[in-house]
Amino acid sequence: MVVTFSPSPEMRAAIDETLEPVASVSYLAGLEEHERAGALASADAVITWFTGDELHGPAEFTLLESVGLIQLLSAGVDRVPFDRLPAGVPLASNAGAYADQMAEHVLAMALALAKRLPQCHAAMARGEFDQQTLNRAIRGSVVAVLGFGGIGQASAKLFSALGAYIHAVNRSGETDAAVDQIGTLDDLDVVLPTADILVISFPLTRATRGLIGRHELSLMKRDAILLNVARAAILDEDELYEHLCRNPGFSAGIDAWWEEPRGQGPFKPRRPFLELPNVIGSPHNSGITAGSFADASRRAADNVARHLRGEPAQHLVDRSDYLALT
């Protein structure tokens, strides 16, 4: 088993402890250049981020053709370089690995916007003490969840506990989870007008890129709250910005951005969302809490262990959903 990235001590301990009974683990970052090819060529499985620099050129990607499973540490799959991966190699996402902490982030944003905390704070800083403008309750509201996988279901549980109604949308239109309504993307025009709060937790695929634009926003309530913890490209950036400007009662919590800096580079959004009083932003960190990467590493390693024991791996990716995304 090969790990392509350099993990923290906590992440490495989680991987080693999980895989110790079924595999020996090699870490590419600790190998000499001449040892890397042998490790990749003989690997039964690989755990990777696929950040772009973990593998050294096309030759190392070619060595993956005999790997039985490529396991991602990330839940999202849209950044995987499918064009460089050998055809036919199974790839699994780490779906649900960050769901609980992301659901907390969704709820925090929803509560802050429903209670108008940014606006109230700014008004008080100006010396205004406004007790006339009402804030809103979550209880009795309709929360529409677009994408009802791990993140969507974890978010729905939190909103349900506060007395909200859940209208979910997923690929199949079916779920065993407790919801008030369930539909597919074909039902989007029916679901959007009902939403007091819209949670976007779809993966970015060929079907969801640009899903929410002018038409979809126009269907929503003028005081709706939109929350995106998925991928920015699911929304039309310009249309969302203009909609927020035209409708000050509409608000948005944005965790995923259209242009994100690499590493510690400066954040320079193309549209000044953060100057709007009806927007809360976070730096794409909804899934990052203390211990979250170690937990995700353990979850990824557990799926690899299933594969190595001859059991079906979970969360296998259909490449056709992602080809030609860029």
Side-chain angles (χ1 to χ4, degrees), residues 8-36:
S8 69
E10 294 78 14
M11 294 168 71
R12 181 165 184 154
I15 293 170
D16 289 345
E17 289 168 7
T18 305
L19 288 172
E20 187 176 41
V22 292
S24 60
V25 183
S26 296
Y27 292 85
L28 282 190
L31 299 180
E32 299 294 337
E33 196 67 28
H34 67 278
E35 298 174 308
R36 293 171 60 95

PDB file of all heavy atoms in Angstrom, residues 8-36:
ATOM      1  N   SER A   8       0.745  14.287   8.312  1.00  0.00           N
ATOM      2  CA  SER A   8       1.121  14.688   9.656  1.00  0.00           C
ATOM      3  C   SER A   8       1.301  13.423  10.500  1.00  0.00           C
ATOM      4  O   SER A   8       0.838  12.338  10.119  1.00  0.00           O
ATOM      5  CB  SER A   8       0.037  15.561  10.277  1.00  0.00           C
ATOM      6  OG  SER A   8      -1.124  14.787  10.533  1.00  0.00           O
ATOM      7  N   PRO A   9       1.963  13.525  11.650  1.00  0.00           N
ATOM      8  CA  PRO A   9       2.110  12.332  12.505  1.00  0.00           C
ATOM      9  C   PRO A   9       0.771  11.699  12.871  1.00  0.00           C
ATOM     10  O   PRO A   9       0.660  10.466  12.920  1.00  0.00           O
ATOM     11  CB  PRO A   9       2.830  12.880  13.734  1.00  0.00           C
ATOM     12  CG  PRO A   9       3.609  14.059  13.229  1.00  0.00           C
ATOM     13  CD  PRO A   9       2.731  14.676  12.174  1.00  0.00           C
ATOM     14  N   GLU A  10      -0.256  12.524  13.109  1.00  0.00           N
ATOM     15  CA  GLU A  10      -1.569  11.990  13.469  1.00  0.00           C
ATOM     16  C   GLU A  10      -2.204  11.243  12.303  1.00  0.00           C
ATOM     17  O   GLU A  10      -2.809  10.177  12.486  1.00  0.00           O
ATOM     18  CB  GLU A  10      -2.490  13.123  13.930  1.00  0.00           C
ATOM     19  CG  GLU A  10      -2.069  13.810  15.218  1.00  0.00           C
ATOM     20  CD  GLU A  10      -0.926  14.805  15.020  1.00  0.00           C
ATOM     21  OE1 GLU A  10      -0.630  15.166  13.845  1.00  0.00           O
ATOM     22  OE2 GLU A  10      -0.324  15.232  16.025  1.00  0.00           O
ATOM     23  N   MET A  11      -2.057  11.794  11.107  1.00  0.00           N
ATOM     24  CA  MET A  11      -2.602  11.129   9.922  1.00  0.00           C
ATOM     25  C   MET A  11      -1.872   9.814   9.665  1.00  0.00           C
ATOM     26  O   MET A  11      -2.502   8.793   9.357  1.00  0.00           O
ATOM     27  CB  MET A  11      -2.489  12.058   8.712  1.00  0.00           C
ATOM     28  CG  MET A  11      -3.341  13.305   8.811  1.00  0.00           C
ATOM     29  SD  MET A  11      -2.922  14.545   7.546  1.00  0.00           S
ATOM     30  CE  MET A  11      -3.547  13.740   6.059  1.00  0.00           C
ATOM     31  N   ARG A  12      -0.550   9.841   9.796  1.00  0.00           N
ATOM     32  CA  ARG A  12       0.225   8.622   9.562  1.00  0.00           C
ATOM     33  C   ARG A  12      -0.138   7.538  10.572  1.00  0.00           C
ATOM     34  O   ARG A  12      -0.280   6.362  10.209  1.00  0.00           O
ATOM     35  CB  ARG A  12       1.719   8.935   9.631  1.00  0.00           C
ATOM     36  CG  ARG A  12       2.604   7.723   9.363  1.00  0.00           C
ATOM     37  CD  ARG A  12       4.018   8.120   9.082  1.00  0.00           C
ATOM     38  NE  ARG A  12       4.823   6.950   8.747  1.00  0.00           N
ATOM     39  CZ  ARG A  12       5.916   6.989   8.003  1.00  0.00           C
ATOM     40  NH1 ARG A  12       6.343   8.157   7.514  1.00  0.00           N
ATOM     41  NH2 ARG A  12       6.598   5.894   7.730  1.00  0.00           N
ATOM     42  N   ALA A  13      -0.310   7.921  11.822  1.00  0.00           N
ATOM     43  CA  ALA A  13      -0.686   6.944  12.844  1.00  0.00           C
ATOM     44  C   ALA A  13      -2.041   6.324  12.527  1.00  0.00           C
ATOM     45  O   ALA A  13      -2.234   5.106  12.683  1.00  0.00           O
ATOM     46  CB  ALA A  13      -0.719   7.608  14.217  1.00  0.00           C
ATOM     47  N   ALA A  14      -2.980   7.139  12.059  1.00  0.00           N
ATOM     48  CA  ALA A  14      -4.313   6.625  11.727  1.00  0.00           C
ATOM     49  C   ALA A  14      -4.241   5.627  10.578  1.00  0.00           C
ATOM     50  O   ALA A  14      -4.904   4.579  10.599  1.00  0.00           O
ATOM     51  CB  ALA A  14      -5.237   7.787  11.377  1.00  0.00           C
ATOM     52  N   ILE A  15      -3.436   5.936   9.565  1.00  0.00           N
ATOM     53  CA  ILE A  15      -3.296   5.034   8.413  1.00  0.00           C
ATOM     54  C   ILE A  15      -2.606   3.738   8.827  1.00  0.00           C
ATOM     55  O   ILE A  15      -3.067   2.631   8.504  1.00  0.00           O
ATOM     56  CB  ILE A  15      -2.515   5.733   7.284  1.00  0.00           C
ATOM     57  CG1 ILE A  15      -3.333   6.898   6.706  1.00  0.00           C
ATOM     58  CG2 ILE A  15      -2.153   4.734   6.177  1.00  0.00           C
ATOM     59  CD1 ILE A  15      -2.559   7.796   5.758  1.00  0.00           C
ATOM     60  N   ASP A  16      -1.503   3.878   9.546  1.00  0.00           N
ATOM     61  CA  ASP A  16      -0.732   2.688   9.939  1.00  0.00           C
ATOM     62  C   ASP A  16      -1.553   1.761  10.833  1.00  0.00           C
ATOM     63  O   ASP A  16      -1.556   0.536  10.652  1.00  0.00           O
ATOM     64  CB  ASP A  16       0.546   3.107  10.653  1.00  0.00           C
ATOM     65  CG  ASP A  16       1.568   3.738   9.712  1.00  0.00           C
ATOM     66  OD1 ASP A  16       1.406   3.596   8.480  1.00  0.00           O
ATOM     67  OD2 ASP A  16       2.510   4.389  10.209  1.00  0.00           O
ATOM     68  N   GLU A  17      -2.250   2.328  11.810  1.00  0.00           N
ATOM     69  CA  GLU A  17      -3.032   1.505  12.740  1.00  0.00           C
ATOM     70  C   GLU A  17      -4.148   0.758  12.016  1.00  0.00           C
ATOM     71  O   GLU A  17      -4.450  -0.398  12.332  1.00  0.00           O
ATOM     72  CB  GLU A  17      -3.624   2.385  13.835  1.00  0.00           C
ATOM     73  CG  GLU A  17      -2.594   2.918  14.819  1.00  0.00           C
ATOM     74  CD  GLU A  17      -3.164   4.011  15.716  1.00  0.00           C
ATOM     75  OE1 GLU A  17      -4.401   4.246  15.650  1.00  0.00           O
ATOM     76  OE2 GLU A  17      -2.392   4.615  16.482  1.00  0.00           O
ATOM     77  N   THR A  18      -4.750   1.410  11.035  1.00  0.00           N
ATOM     78  CA  THR A  18      -5.872   0.796  10.318  1.00  0.00           C
ATOM     79  C   THR A  18      -5.407  -0.292   9.364  1.00  0.00           C
ATOM     80  O   THR A  18      -6.053  -1.333   9.220  1.00  0.00           O
ATOM     81  CB  THR A  18      -6.660   1.867   9.547  1.00  0.00           C
ATOM     82  OG1 THR A  18      -7.074   2.898  10.453  1.00  0.00           O
ATOM     83  CG2 THR A  18      -7.874   1.275   8.872  1.00  0.00           C
ATOM     84  N   LEU A  19      -4.274  -0.067   8.708  1.00  0.00           N
ATOM     85  CA  LEU A  19      -3.830  -0.991   7.672  1.00  0.00           C
ATOM     86  C   LEU A  19      -2.835  -2.037   8.146  1.00  0.00           C
ATOM     87  O   LEU A  19      -2.542  -2.990   7.408  1.00  0.00           O
ATOM     88  CB  LEU A  19      -3.213  -0.193   6.517  1.00  0.00           C
ATOM     89  CG  LEU A  19      -4.227   0.586   5.667  1.00  0.00           C
ATOM     90  CD1 LEU A  19      -3.513   1.492   4.671  1.00  0.00           C
ATOM     91  CD2 LEU A  19      -5.161  -0.365   4.936  1.00  0.00           C
ATOM     92  N   GLU A  20      -2.325  -1.875   9.345  1.00  0.00           N
ATOM     93  CA  GLU A  20      -1.298  -2.803   9.843  1.00  0.00           C
ATOM     94  C   GLU A  20      -1.711  -4.273   9.744  1.00  0.00           C
ATOM     95  O   GLU A  20      -0.883  -5.119   9.366  1.00  0.00           O
ATOM     96  CB  GLU A  20      -0.945  -2.466  11.292  1.00  0.00           C
ATOM     97  CG  GLU A  20       0.225  -3.263  11.836  1.00  0.00           C
ATOM     98  CD  GLU A  20       0.585  -2.821  13.249  1.00  0.00           C
ATOM     99  OE1 GLU A  20      -0.355  -2.587  14.043  1.00  0.00           O
ATOM    100  OE2 GLU A  20       1.776  -2.689  13.557  1.00  0.00           O
ATOM    101  N   PRO A  21      -2.972  -4.631  10.019  1.00  0.00           N
ATOM    102  CA  PRO A  21      -3.327  -6.065   9.941  1.00  0.00           C
ATOM    103  C   PRO A  21      -3.368  -6.628   8.519  1.00  0.00           C
ATOM    104  O   PRO A  21      -3.337  -7.844   8.349  1.00  0.00           O
ATOM    105  CB  PRO A  21      -4.734  -6.101  10.571  1.00  0.00           C
ATOM    106  CG  PRO A  21      -4.863  -4.842  11.348  1.00  0.00           C
ATOM    107  CD  PRO A  21      -4.070  -3.829  10.583  1.00  0.00           C
ATOM    108  N   VAL A  22      -3.460  -5.769   7.504  1.00  0.00           N
ATOM    109  CA  VAL A  22      -3.697  -6.290   6.149  1.00  0.00           C
ATOM    110  C   VAL A  22      -2.657  -5.867   5.122  1.00  0.00           C
ATOM    111  O   VAL A  22      -2.643  -6.400   4.003  1.00  0.00           O
ATOM    112  CB  VAL A  22      -5.093  -5.857   5.639  1.00  0.00           C
ATOM    113  CG1 VAL A  22      -6.199  -6.526   6.429  1.00  0.00           C
ATOM    114  CG2 VAL A  22      -5.249  -4.352   5.660  1.00  0.00           C
ATOM    115  N   ALA A  23      -1.767  -4.916   5.452  1.00  0.00           N
ATOM    116  CA  ALA A  23      -0.841  -4.427   4.425  1.00  0.00           C
ATOM    117  C   ALA A  23       0.374  -3.773   5.055  1.00  0.00           C
ATOM    118  O   ALA A  23       0.330  -3.301   6.200  1.00  0.00           O
ATOM    119  CB  ALA A  23      -1.551  -3.407   3.521  1.00  0.00           C
ATOM    120  N   SER A  24       1.459  -3.740   4.292  1.00  0.00           N
ATOM    121  CA  SER A  24       2.598  -2.900   4.642  1.00  0.00           C
ATOM    122  C   SER A  24       2.440  -1.593   3.890  1.00  0.00           C
ATOM    123  O   SER A  24       1.990  -1.580   2.745  1.00  0.00           O
ATOM    124  CB  SER A  24       3.920  -3.571   4.268  1.00  0.00           C
ATOM    125  OG  SER A  24       3.960  -3.819   2.874  1.00  0.00           O
ATOM    126  N   VAL A  25       2.789  -0.488   4.551  1.00  0.00           N
ATOM    127  CA  VAL A  25       2.531   0.835   4.002  1.00  0.00           C
ATOM    128  C   VAL A  25       3.848   1.523   3.663  1.00  0.00           C
ATOM    129  O   VAL A  25       4.760   1.578   4.499  1.00  0.00           O
ATOM    130  CB  VAL A  25       1.722   1.701   4.983  1.00  0.00           C
ATOM    131  CG1 VAL A  25       1.403   3.058   4.361  1.00  0.00           C
ATOM    132  CG2 VAL A  25       0.434   0.985   5.390  1.00  0.00           C
ATOM    133  N   SER A  26       3.936   2.050   2.437  1.00  0.00           N
ATOM    134  CA  SER A  26       5.086   2.859   2.024  1.00  0.00           C
ATOM    135  C   SER A  26       4.620   4.292   1.788  1.00  0.00           C
ATOM    136  O   SER A  26       3.521   4.511   1.266  1.00  0.00           O
ATOM    137  CB  SER A  26       5.706   2.314   0.728  1.00  0.00           C
ATOM    138  OG  SER A  26       6.222   1.023   0.915  1.00  0.00           O
ATOM    139  N   TYR A  27       5.481   5.241   2.157  1.00  0.00           N
ATOM    140  CA  TYR A  27       5.178   6.653   1.965  1.00  0.00           C
ATOM    141  C   TYR A  27       6.153   7.214   0.936  1.00  0.00           C
ATOM    142  O   TYR A  27       7.372   7.207   1.156  1.00  0.00           O
ATOM    143  CB  TYR A  27       5.294   7.404   3.297  1.00  0.00           C
ATOM    144  CG  TYR A  27       4.219   7.001   4.285  1.00  0.00           C
ATOM    145  CD1 TYR A  27       4.375   5.878   5.103  1.00  0.00           C
ATOM    146  CD2 TYR A  27       3.036   7.720   4.375  1.00  0.00           C
ATOM    147  CE1 TYR A  27       3.384   5.496   5.988  1.00  0.00           C
ATOM    148  CE2 TYR A  27       2.035   7.353   5.263  1.00  0.00           C
ATOM    149  CZ  TYR A  27       2.207   6.244   6.060  1.00  0.00           C
ATOM    150  OH  TYR A  27       1.217   5.864   6.944  1.00  0.00           O
ATOM    151  N   LEU A  28       5.622   7.683  -0.191  1.00  0.00           N
ATOM    152  CA  LEU A  28       6.490   8.154  -1.267  1.00  0.00           C
ATOM    153  C   LEU A  28       7.429   9.249  -0.809  1.00  0.00           C
ATOM    154  O   LEU A  28       8.572   9.338  -1.259  1.00  0.00           O
ATOM    155  CB  LEU A  28       5.645   8.671  -2.438  1.00  0.00           C
ATOM    156  CG  LEU A  28       5.007   7.649  -3.374  1.00  0.00           C
ATOM    157  CD1 LEU A  28       4.423   8.362  -4.586  1.00  0.00           C
ATOM    158  CD2 LEU A  28       6.007   6.582  -3.813  1.00  0.00           C
ATOM    159  N   ALA A  29       6.934  10.110   0.094  1.00  0.00           N
ATOM    160  CA  ALA A  29       7.760  11.235   0.535  1.00  0.00           C
ATOM    161  C   ALA A  29       9.024  10.779   1.250  1.00  0.00           C
ATOM    162  O   ALA A  29      10.009  11.526   1.321  1.00  0.00           O
ATOM    163  CB  ALA A  29       6.943  12.152   1.448  1.00  0.00           C
ATOM    164  N   GLY A  30       9.034   9.566   1.758  1.00  0.00           N
ATOM    165  CA  GLY A  30      10.207   9.059   2.467  1.00  0.00           C
ATOM    166  C   GLY A  30      11.111   8.194   1.619  1.00  0.00           C
ATOM    167  O   GLY A  30      12.098   7.646   2.126  1.00  0.00           O
ATOM    168  N   LEU A  31      10.801   8.057   0.331  1.00  0.00           N
ATOM    169  CA  LEU A  31      11.587   7.188  -0.541  1.00  0.00           C
ATOM    170  C   LEU A  31      12.539   7.998  -1.416  1.00  0.00           C
ATOM    171  O   LEU A  31      12.248   9.140  -1.789  1.00  0.00           O
ATOM    172  CB  LEU A  31      10.660   6.372  -1.438  1.00  0.00           C
ATOM    173  CG  LEU A  31       9.670   5.435  -0.745  1.00  0.00           C
ATOM    174  CD1 LEU A  31       8.827   4.704  -1.786  1.00  0.00           C
ATOM    175  CD2 LEU A  31      10.392   4.428   0.143  1.00  0.00           C
ATOM    176  N   GLU A  32      13.653   7.397  -1.774  1.00  0.00           N
ATOM    177  CA  GLU A  32      14.555   7.983  -2.756  1.00  0.00           C
ATOM    178  C   GLU A  32      13.907   7.918  -4.139  1.00  0.00           C
ATOM    179  O   GLU A  32      13.009   7.113  -4.382  1.00  0.00           O
ATOM    180  CB  GLU A  32      15.888   7.229  -2.771  1.00  0.00           C
ATOM    181  CG  GLU A  32      16.643   7.264  -1.450  1.00  0.00           C
ATOM    182  CD  GLU A  32      17.130   8.656  -1.084  1.00  0.00           C
ATOM    183  OE1 GLU A  32      17.284   9.491  -2.007  1.00  0.00           O
ATOM    184  OE2 GLU A  32      17.333   8.911   0.119  1.00  0.00           O
ATOM    185  N   GLU A  33      14.358   8.770  -5.027  1.00  0.00           N
ATOM    186  CA  GLU A  33      13.751   8.847  -6.353  1.00  0.00           C
ATOM    187  C   GLU A  33      13.744   7.492  -7.051  1.00  0.00           C
ATOM    188  O   GLU A  33      12.742   7.111  -7.684  1.00  0.00           O
ATOM    189  CB  GLU A  33      14.497   9.878  -7.201  1.00  0.00           C
ATOM    190  CG  GLU A  33      13.750  10.330  -8.442  1.00  0.00           C
ATOM    191  CD  GLU A  33      12.492  11.131  -8.117  1.00  0.00           C
ATOM    192  OE1 GLU A  33      12.456  11.788  -7.053  1.00  0.00           O
ATOM    193  OE2 GLU A  33      11.539  11.083  -8.928  1.00  0.00           O
ATOM    194  N   HIS A  34      14.826   6.735  -6.932  1.00  0.00           N
ATOM    195  CA  HIS A  34      14.901   5.452  -7.626  1.00  0.00           C
ATOM    196  C   HIS A  34      14.015   4.389  -6.978  1.00  0.00           C
ATOM    197  O   HIS A  34      13.755   3.340  -7.574  1.00  0.00           O
ATOM    198  CB  HIS A  34      16.355   4.953  -7.673  1.00  0.00           C
ATOM    199  CG  HIS A  34      16.912   4.580  -6.330  1.00  0.00           C
ATOM    200  ND1 HIS A  34      17.428   5.519  -5.449  1.00  0.00           N
ATOM    201  CD2 HIS A  34      17.007   3.376  -5.703  1.00  0.00           C
ATOM    202  CE1 HIS A  34      17.830   4.905  -4.351  1.00  0.00           C
ATOM    203  NE2 HIS A  34      17.591   3.613  -4.474  1.00  0.00           N
ATOM    204  N   GLU A  35      13.530   4.632  -5.747  1.00  0.00           N
ATOM    205  CA  GLU A  35      12.667   3.666  -5.068  1.00  0.00           C
ATOM    206  C   GLU A  35      11.178   3.893  -5.367  1.00  0.00           C
ATOM    207  O   GLU A  35      10.357   2.986  -5.182  1.00  0.00           O
ATOM    208  CB  GLU A  35      12.878   3.762  -3.554  1.00  0.00           C
ATOM    209  CG  GLU A  35      14.282   3.426  -3.094  1.00  0.00           C
ATOM    210  CD  GLU A  35      14.470   3.676  -1.609  1.00  0.00           C
ATOM    211  OE1 GLU A  35      14.151   4.798  -1.143  1.00  0.00           O
ATOM    212  OE2 GLU A  35      14.931   2.739  -0.927  1.00  0.00           O
ATOM    213  N   ARG A  36      10.843   5.071  -5.832  1.00  0.00           N
ATOM    214  CA  ARG A  36       9.447   5.430  -6.018  1.00  0.00           C
ATOM    215  C   ARG A  36       8.760   4.555  -7.071  1.00  0.00           C
ATOM    216  O   ARG A  36       7.639   4.089  -6.878  1.00  0.00           O
ATOM    217  CB  ARG A  36       9.325   6.905  -6.412  1.00  0.00           C
ATOM    218  CG  ARG A  36       9.726   7.871  -5.321  1.00  0.00           C
ATOM    219  CD  ARG A  36       9.794   9.306  -5.861  1.00  0.00           C
ATOM    220  NE  ARG A  36       8.530   9.778  -6.388  1.00  0.00           N
ATOM    221  CZ  ARG A  36       7.633  10.492  -5.701  1.00  0.00           C
ATOM    222  NH1 ARG A  36       7.880  10.817  -4.437  1.00  0.00           N
ATOM    223  NH2 ARG A  36       6.502  10.881  -6.265  1.00  0.00           N
TER     224      ARG A  36
END
